[in-house]
Amino acid sequence: MALGGLVGTVAAAGAAAGCAVLVLGMSHPAADRQPSHRPADRAAFTEPTASIPVQLPAPTSHPASRRAVPHRTAHAPTPASSPAPTPTSTAKSTRTSTPTPTATATATPTPKASPTRKATSIPAAHPPTAAHTEPAAKSKPKPAKHSHPRAAPRRGHRLPLHLRTGKATRVITVVAASTGSTTARLQAWDKAPGGGWLKTGKSVTAHVGADGLSTSPSEYKSATPIGTFTLTRAFGHNSNPGTSLPYFKTTPADWWISQAGPLYNTHHRCSSNCPFTQGSPNEHLYYETPYYNYAVVINYNTHPVRQGAGSAFFLHVTDHQPTAGCVAIPSGKLTRLMRSLKPSEHPRILIGVR
């Protein structure tokens, strides 16, 4: 109680003159030191703690106040150990001598340890986390495929003859040095994916008409027609060598009509009482060997048929002599060429001068 009177005196003096309080505290060190050694006085300091819990909700709602309490608690022994506490330090010790709320505040951080344990347990619960990166490593080659653009479709060349090809993806060119030539170079071509044409196999020497090449052939001259013509059917004295074109094996009843009339430039099979002459100028196909051992029909003067404009033009086996207007090559070359001809490719033969 003497200390309480002293505090009241100091407070009253502070209100009158602030500097006098400091002088008064320094002039009575013994009076200040006396309460710090009396247990009864220490009990007097703890009495105000009964009113402190009323003020605790404010620190609870503000985490900053809870963090400040442990700091002040660490300095709580200052009033007991200080040899000469001033009234100001006494007020500080009064606020900090609240161990009960301090224990409550320090207990609250305990739940924070559990999230820490959960965070550390995540890698333990999923050890194969690194394994999930393996598919990513395996998937790296996939973008590599897209990093290299696909090769552009192969492009071909221009044909040696500037003639119409229509729907053809396979053509045969027969190129002579001049209209008076009796030989020419025959070459097969396939249409290139990127446009143009690609050579197929090697070129071969072909024999053509004895009167060379003409844009207006007829029954009265042995000239090979110039132009572009479809190849849709084949025949021969021998069996089909493997072509996909419609093929018929000739018999003694097979004829190709070259006489004027409604049957001009057509194939007919008749053995007796035929509506055409069974002889010249019609061709008895079965007996025309080796020429017609294998042959492909060149569709010249077929749609429409013009009387006298020429008939019976074929790609057939050569005897190494000029022809009456057909195109002739060696038998082995012809059969290989026939095997490459397919209706789906709409094959054509282009005949001309370069």
Side-chain angles (χ1 to χ4, degrees):
M1 298 300 290
L3 180 60
L6 179 58
V7 173
T9 306
V10 172
C19 294
V21 176
L22 181 59
V23 174
L24 180 60
M26 295 178 65
S27 62
H28 297 281
D32 296 336
R33 198 178 299 113
Q34 183 178 357
S36 62
H37 298 283
R38 295 173 63 181
D41 295 340
R42 238 181 273 120
F45 286 116
T46 59
E47 289 176 3
T49 57
S51 60
I52 290 174
V54 178
Q55 299 176 356
L56 282 177
T60 303
S61 61
H62 298 286
S65 300
R66 285 198 298 272
R67 286 195 298 271
V69 171
H71 178 72
R72 288 196 299 270
T73 303
H75 296 283
T78 302
S81 61
S82 178
T86 62
T88 305
S89 63
T90 304
K92 290 182 179 179
S93 64
T94 303
R95 288 193 300 271
T96 56
S97 59
T98 56
T100 303
T102 302
T104 305
T106 55
T108 53
T110 304
K112 294 181 180 179
S114 58
T116 305
R117 287 194 298 273
K118 290 180 181 178
T120 55
S121 65
I122 290 174
H126 302 280
T129 303
H132 293 293
T133 59
E134 292 180 2
K138 293 179 181 179
S139 62
K140 286 181 180 179
K142 292 181 179 179
K145 294 180 181 178
H146 297 288
S147 61
H148 298 286
R150 294 179 62 185
R154 186 179 179 185
R155 292 188 61 83
H157 307 280
R158 290 183 179 181
L159 294 173
L161 299 174
H162 302 293
L163 296 173
R164 183 171 56 89
T165 58
K167 297 179 181 179
T169 55
R170 162 61 68 97
V171 299
I172 299 167
T173 56
V174 179
V175 183
S178 67
T179 55
S181 300
T182 58
T183 60
R185 298 300 296 178
L186 183 147
Q187 175 69 57
W189 302 79
D190 282 330
K191 196 167 187 177
W197 297 85
L198 299 171
K199 289 182 179 181
T200 302
K202 296 181 179 180
S203 63
V204 59
T205 299
H207 286 83
V208 293
D211 294 332
L213 282 66
S214 175
T215 56
S216 57
S218 71
E219 290 295 332
Y220 308 104
K221 60 183 177 182
S222 299
T224 302
I226 292 175
T228 172
F229 314 104
T230 57
L231 303 172
T232 58
R233 49 186 172 156
F235 65 92
H237 182 88
N238 300 334
S239 299
N240 186 345
T243 183
S244 297
L245 298 177
Y247 184 92
F248 68 89
K249 188 176 182 297
T250 58
T251 68
D254 287 296
W255 296 81
W256 200 274
I257 310 304
S258 293
Q259 72 180 70
L263 302 180
Y264 181 69
N265 197 28
T266 60
H267 164 249
H268 279 276
R269 180 168 284 177
C270 181
S271 57
S272 62
N273 300 322
C274 298
F276 53 84
T277 302
Q278 291 178 295
S280 184
N282 302 322
E283 293 191 50
H284 206 177
L285 301 179
Y286 181 79
Y287 297 101
E288 297 289 340
T289 58
Y291 316 106
Y292 297 160
N293 283 345
Y294 302 103
V296 180
V297 179
I298 297 174
N299 290 326
Y300 164 78
N301 194 26
T302 55
H303 301 289
V305 175
R306 292 172 292 134
Q307 296 290 324
S311 63
F313 290 96
F314 310 121
L315 173 61
H316 62 69
V317 178
T318 186
D319 64 351
H320 305 287
Q321 299 295 323
T323 70
C326 294
V327 177
I329 59 175
S331 179
K333 299 285 186 180
L334 178 58
T335 54
R336 283 195 294 271
L337 184 60
M338 290 174 69
R339 284 191 288 269
S340 70
L341 300 178
K342 302 174 182 178
S344 61
E345 296 177 335
H346 308 284
R348 280 179 172 265
I349 187 168
L350 282 59
I351 304 171
V353 177
R354 191 169 186 175

